[in-house]
Amino acid sequence: MPGAVHVTKAADIKTSGGQTEGMIRQNAIVDLADNICASVMLAKPHTGSAVHHHGEENTIVYAVRGRGTVVSEGGKKRQILDPGDFALIPAYVEHQEVNDGDVEVLWIITRSGKSPTVENLEDWEKN
């Protein structure tokens, strides 16, 4: 028999999970399915996360508000996400989220694991 529908109300989403400097991660749906989870990422103006990856988890980003950037390839590649844009960050790909703008960035994050994995790095390890 299939499981029940689960709804997480906006008022119930709190800061949680792995954090990196300048980013606020909020778990929305975690530990409810074996191979998918969802969270919210808020980036304050003029901030950037630590360089990190998400282990075995593939990540899909949906940009809701603001203009954010995904930096990858050892810091050499910068890809801008405007509201309505999607990005795929494959498992183990080192990257950084950056908000160079004057307004908060809001992204919805979906990952291919039961709960979000964030492995912060000291610097770019693979170029």
Side-chain angles (χ1 to χ4, degrees):
M1 175 172 256
V5 171
H6 175 83
V7 173
T8 302
K9 300 302 258 178
D12 295 330
I13 298 174
K14 307 288 186 229
T15 299
S16 55
Q19 303 295 319
T20 59
E21 187 66 32
M23 305 290 125
I24 300 167
R25 291 190 175 95
Q26 301 173 315
N27 289 344
I29 297 178
V30 298
D31 297 325
L32 296 174
D34 291 336
N35 58 0
I36 195 167
C37 63
S39 58
V40 176
M41 191 281 299
L42 300 165
K44 298 294 183 187
H46 306 286
T47 62
S49 71
V51 175
H52 64 282
H53 65 76
H54 300 289
E56 296 179 348
E57 296 176 346
N58 293 304
T59 300
I60 293 177
V61 176
Y62 175 71
V64 176
R65 181 175 65 230
R67 177 176 243 211
T69 303
V70 177
V71 181
S72 61
E73 297 181 11
K76 298 175 193 134
K77 187 171 188 177
R78 294 176 62 90
Q79 294 174 282
I80 294 171
L81 275 73
D82 289 310
D85 292 347
F86 283 88
L88 169 66
I89 303 170
Y92 293 104
V93 169
E94 295 177 5
H95 63 284
Q96 180 182 34
E97 296 104 9
V98 176
N99 179 0
D100 291 321
D102 295 326
V103 298
E104 186 175 78
V105 167
L106 173 64
W107 289 349
I108 303 302
I109 311 292
T110 304
R111 294 207 179 99
S112 63
K114 187 173 185 168
S115 64
T117 298
V118 177
E119 298 288 335
N120 289 326
L121 307 170
E122 290 297 319
D123 201 355
W124 300 100
E125 294 181 1
K126 300 175 188 173
N127 292 323

